[in-house]
Amino acid sequence: AEFVKDCMLAVTDEVCPEKKSLFESVSLSATTLTRRVEEMTKDLFETLKERCRACRYFAIALDESTDVKHTSQLAIFFRGVTNDFDIYEEFVKLVPMKANTSGANVLAAVLSWMDDFGLDLTRLCGVTTDGAPAMTGSQKGFVSLLVKHCRDLGYTQEIHTFHCIVHQEA
């Protein structure tokens, strides 16, 4: 921060020396920088949520893997299309799975994320997962539980499901 401030002051000396006192009064303490980074993070997060909610239809892709500390991590990707046919893709969340990675636990994590983002499940049109039984099992797999959850809520849209597409290149 001090290096950046020194650079700003050097430029100010050359470009607009009469404004140097304004730049000298800019606080770049650790607390100020932390607060500004937190504000930018909040703004980016809200923008991400707004873009996701603005999509007419959306699909999600999930990938579950284990990190070096043997904690299961669930990566959630979002792909949506607006009314103007603009396509929006984004990695939206990495969820550390505290419990096991059963279909029910993955469903709970995904529904919690969708609720946090204010997503309308009636707009969900596709789900892509890895080929793990917890994701694709016909009775207790995430995909079947998600489809059942949607049907229980009275949603009748077709939800296209794919598996193993996430790892095609590998």
Side-chain angles (χ1 to χ4, degrees):
E2 290 303 319
F3 174 72
V4 171
K5 188 171 183 176
D6 290 342
C7 292
M8 287 175 27
L9 292 174
V11 169
T12 304
D13 280 340
E14 296 295 322
V15 177
C16 52
E18 70 280 0
K19 304 278 186 179
K20 185 172 183 175
S21 63
L22 289 173
F23 284 94
E24 287 175 331
S25 66
V26 172
S27 174
L28 293 178
S29 68
T31 305
T32 301
L33 287 177
T34 300
R35 182 177 44 81
R36 290 179 181 162
V37 168
E38 287 172 350
E39 288 171 1
M40 288 188 298
T41 300
K42 183 179 178 185
D43 183 57
L44 285 171
F45 187 69
E46 289 303 316
T47 300
L48 176 64
K49 286 168 57 172
E50 288 172 18
R51 282 186 152 180
C52 290
R53 282 192 298 262
C55 289
R56 177 71 181 121
Y57 296 102
F58 71 91
I60 58 173
L62 306 174
D63 186 29
E64 182 272 323
S65 61
T66 305
D67 66 15
V68 295
K69 293 188 177 186
H70 305 291
T71 301
S72 293
Q73 304 285 346
L74 179 68
I76 304 174
F77 300 86
F78 178 93
R79 177 183 286 169
V81 62
T82 66
N83 286 333
D84 296 326
F85 296 103
D86 293 325
I87 296 173
Y88 179 67
E89 286 184 310
E90 194 67 49
F91 166 74
V92 290
K93 189 156 188 168
L94 183 65
V95 182
M97 302 296 288
K98 306 279 189 243
N100 63 13
T101 54
S102 68
N105 288 338
V106 172
L107 178 67
V110 170
L111 290 178
S112 173
W113 161 72
M114 285 183 172
D115 187 51
D116 287 347
F117 269 54
L119 295 176
D120 182 359
L121 267 174
T122 62
R123 296 179 179 190
L124 176 66
C125 63
V127 178
T128 302
T129 64
D130 59 19
M135 294 291 188
T136 60
S138 63
Q139 297 296 317
K140 295 182 180 180
F142 162 74
V143 173
S144 61
L145 293 174
L146 177 63
V147 170
K148 182 181 180 326
H149 177 77
C150 289
R151 298 301 176 256
D152 290 346
L153 293 173
Y155 305 148
T156 59
Q157 82 273 20
E158 185 175 357
I159 299 174
H160 301 277
T161 59
F162 306 95
H163 75 296
C164 293
I165 292 177
V166 174
H167 297 290
Q168 275 188 354
E169 284 189 37

